Amino acid sequence: MSVREHALSLFRSAVGTVRPALMMKRALKFQEDGCPQLVVKDQVFPVKRDLYLVGFGKAVLGMAAAAEEILGDHLVRGIINVPLGIQESLQRAGMQEMLLKPHSKIQVIEGAKNNLPDEEALKGAVAIQQLAESLNADDLLLVLISGGGSALLPAPIPPILLKEKEKLTKMLASRGAAIQELNIVRKTLSMLKGGGLAQLARPAQVVSLILSDVIGDPLDIIASGPTAASSHSVQDCLQILAKYNLLYNLPKSVETVLSSSPTKPTTPENYSHVSNFIIGSNTLALDEAKHHAEGLGYTTLVLSAAIHGEVSRVASLYCQLIQLVCLGFTGLGEGPLSDEVRRNLLQLVAELEIPGLDLADFLQALRGLGPESPVCILAGGETTVQLHGTGKGGRNQELVLHVGLGLHRAQAREVNSLQGRCEIIFLSGGTDGQDGPTEAAGAFCNPRLVAEALQEGLDVEAFLSNNDSYTFFSQFQGGHQLLVTGLTGTNVMDIQAILIRAI
């Protein structure tokens, strides 16, 4: 296989290990010896009376299909909120294993068009709320959560209307509020977010299985934490509204709710009936990709599962890493040039503030890697794009194009053409199989990409300034640089891979 084929195969293996059915079957079992028991990661939950299921998120349909297969007739009833059109999309893609069987006990409600809360999502949230409120102490509620769950579980505290809550969050966003600040406001005004669902289900036992699409896997942030204790209070919400000059311009309904909200967050003791489990994450996907790459003969290192930041800066980080490996391959791993690259890397990592990344340890692991075996560097997370143009693309395609341009510029500066002695592939893709409003999950590039594009009259910098990476990759050599996997039915953020071998 070529290096490009290796990159594709390890990306597919990473996605495969976090597909809903496989994750659910690893994490969830049902035992019928004597008293029926739900077993999650070796933790046992007796099913004393009835077993119910609710769920919300982009991957929840496949999770629910697997759960119903595991639970069988013991499942009394279920309700799930999933993205608009997902059943038809999965049917069209031939992914029958992610669809519920005929006569399922689980009701499916589709909503949140374009990942925005809407009336259909609200109907589903109300149905989930009513089911939770009907439970008693001997019931068990299994909750399935994945990315996109926040938009699919809108339930503003009365008398707040959905349109009022959405208008307020849009105003905050337009004034530059960070996503954490938006989530604090949303949770404060929600019946179900910020642990609300778990409290409504009390005193029933609540067991949540969570597919994380958030860096660091914080339970109170994924889908806005409906089954996790919130660490924020109404005072935090008020401070944010004051910060953005919105405190004295609120709808009457929001003022009413804020004035009657508890001044302190609910204590963890109030969640003694809840057990939350992360059953799938970017880290799990990267572990599988590492195992797969090692099986292909690569010396493999995982940089981080928490990569974030603007794509052009993250691209600079990857270009510097590629240069450092190539220096090692050509016997220049120690010296002024490699020292300069290491300094650049330290500066970039400090600027990006990637949590948990010990660059000194990583650089030490890179030392001494020679051309004897190819090298694979893996990373994951979620980058951001600054929109300046009107083009079509996504964060992964734009990241790849920035890396391609960075490698081209580095090659033009190198007297001894380090990259020319190495075969290099860079891949970035979304594990959900989508990257922005396109059918691509991401893209590939090599150091020749920009030079070959220029020969065909394509100006890479112009495409980047217009945020038009998809159009570039579609035009360039028949679009073969695009990473197209189709809908995967899962979502654990993005995966990047650098594959390098000596020529």
Side-chain angles (χ1 to χ4, degrees):
M1 286 196 292
S2 68
V3 175
R4 183 181 182 280
E5 289 169 330
H6 284 166
L8 179 60
S9 68
L10 68 86
F11 180 80
R12 290 188 186 279
S13 73
V15 171
T17 203
V18 289
R19 285 188 185 273
L22 186 57
M23 286 187 308
M24 293 294 290
K25 287 171 183 174
R26 275 197 304 257
L28 180 67
K29 294 180 176 58
F30 195 91
Q31 295 179 350
E32 299 186 66
D33 302 335
C35 174
Q37 297 176 332
L38 201 65
V39 183
V40 183
K41 293 187 174 182
D42 298 325
Q43 194 166 332
V44 176
F45 300 93
V47 180
K48 299 173 184 174
R49 201 178 82 150
D50 291 336
L51 176 57
Y52 296 90
L53 180 151
V54 297
F56 29 89
K58 294 179 180 179
V60 157
L61 185 61
M63 293 170 75
E68 188 165 31
E69 185 179 327
I70 294 165
L71 302 175
D73 292 336
H74 293 280
L75 179 64
V76 174
R77 182 183 170 217
I79 304 170
I80 58 173
N81 259 18
V82 296
L84 185 68
I86 191 170
Q87 293 179 98
E88 183 183 343
S89 296
L90 290 171
Q91 185 85 47
R92 204 165 49 241
M95 299 170 75
Q96 302 295 331
E97 74 279 4
M98 294 196 190
L99 296 169
L100 296 170
K101 301 289 190 291
H103 313 298
S104 168
K105 293 177 182 176
I106 301 172
Q107 177 187 359
V108 180
I109 299 169
E110 294 190 359
K113 184 178 181 181
N114 298 323
N115 202 32
L116 295 171
D118 56 20
E119 290 300 324
E120 290 306 309
L122 179 59
K123 287 178 188 175
V126 169
I128 288 171
Q129 178 181 335
Q130 290 172 344
L131 189 155
E133 290 173 329
S134 72
L135 305 179
N136 68 34
D138 289 332
D139 292 326
L140 191 151
L141 179 65
L142 183 63
V143 184
L144 308 178
I145 302 173
S146 77
S150 188
L152 285 159
L153 201 70
I157 299 172
I160 301 173
L161 301 176
L162 181 61
K163 62 182 180 182
E164 290 175 325
K165 185 180 172 186
E166 287 311 297
K167 183 180 178 182
L168 179 58
T169 52
K170 284 179 181 176
M171 287 173 69
L172 279 165
S174 70
R175 296 185 184 197
I179 184 62
Q180 292 88 347
E181 293 175 318
L182 290 172
N183 279 341
I184 290 168
V185 174
R186 287 189 187 116
K187 288 194 291 183
T188 307
L189 304 179
S190 173
M191 289 285 293
L192 301 177
K193 296 179 173 70
L197 176 61
Q199 291 306 311
L200 290 174
R202 193 182 181 96
Q205 176 73 55
V206 177
V207 178
S208 293
L209 306 184
I210 303 166
L211 178 62
S212 172
D213 70 332
V214 180
I215 286 173
D217 307 332
L219 292 172
D220 65 334
I221 298 297
I222 303 165
S224 296
T227 59
S230 175
S231 57
H232 304 106
S233 70
V234 68
Q235 292 302 322
D236 297 309
C237 179
L238 291 170
Q239 286 175 8
I240 292 164
L241 294 171
K243 176 181 175 181
Y244 295 102
N245 297 316
L246 290 170
L247 195 54
Y248 302 106
N249 190 28
L250 297 172
K252 195 69 180 174
S253 59
V254 174
E255 288 182 358
T256 301
V257 168
L258 291 175
S259 64
S260 59
S261 296
T263 55
K264 294 181 180 180
T266 310
T267 61
E269 290 77 25
N270 292 91
Y271 291 83
S272 58
H273 64 301
V274 183
S275 297
N276 291 302
F277 297 91
I278 300 284
I279 65 167
S281 66
N282 192 269
T283 298
L284 185 67
L286 288 176
D287 286 345
E288 174 59 28
K290 181 177 188 290
H291 177 75
H292 189 81
E294 288 171 342
L296 293 170
Y298 287 82
T299 299
T300 307
L301 301 171
V302 176
L303 178 65
S304 172
I307 298 294
H308 67 279
E310 204 276 323
V311 287
S312 64
R313 305 309 294 150
V314 175
S316 296
L317 175 72
Y318 289 138
C319 288
Q320 294 293 318
L321 283 172
I322 290 167
Q323 187 174 6
L324 193 59
V325 174
C326 289
L327 283 166
F329 274 18
T330 53
L332 299 172
E334 301 298 331
L337 187 54
S338 60
D339 288 344
E340 180 187 345
V341 173
R342 288 188 183 94
R343 283 194 297 272
N344 291 340
L345 283 167
L346 286 166
Q347 184 177 338
L348 282 164
V349 167
E351 177 189 321
L352 290 166
E353 297 181 336
I354 298 166
L357 172 56
D358 189 332
L359 186 63
D361 278 359
F362 188 83
L363 293 178
Q364 187 60 41
L366 280 181
R367 287 181 189 272
L369 291 181
E372 298 79 24
S373 70
V375 171
C376 173
I377 297 173
L378 297 167
E382 196 164 279
T383 57
T384 53
V385 171
Q386 291 185 7
L387 292 176
H388 302 293
T390 57
K392 194 175 182 182
R395 60 179 180 262
N396 289 287
Q397 295 164 70
E398 188 153 324
L399 174 61
V400 171
L401 199 48
H402 271 291
V403 169
L405 182 60
L407 294 177
H408 174 74
R409 287 172 173 167
Q411 199 163 33
R413 288 193 303 268
E414 289 169 5
V415 177
N416 54 4
S417 188
L418 293 172
Q419 293 177 25
R421 305 184 213 178
C422 301
E423 187 177 4
I424 302 163
I425 281 288
F426 176 76
L427 169 151
S428 186
T431 54
D432 59 357
Q434 296 174 311
D435 188 35
T438 75
E439 83 280 6
F444 303 85
C445 78
N446 60 42
R448 301 182 304 279
L449 176 77
V450 174
E452 292 173 2
L454 288 170
Q455 289 177 357
E456 296 187 23
L458 299 174
D459 183 348
V460 171
E461 292 186 61
F463 282 100
L464 282 172
S465 65
N466 194 34
N467 300 114
D468 206 14
S469 53
Y470 176 77
T471 303
F472 169 83
F473 284 117
S474 297
Q475 290 182 7
F476 184 63
Q477 296 188 355
H480 84 279
Q481 302 287 347
L482 287 170
L483 171 64
V484 181
T485 63
L487 195 66
T488 66
T490 190
N491 180 23
V492 293
M493 300 184 289
D494 305 330
I495 286 176
Q496 285 97 43
I498 299 167
L499 277 66
I500 305 174
R501 66 182 179 189
I503 297 175

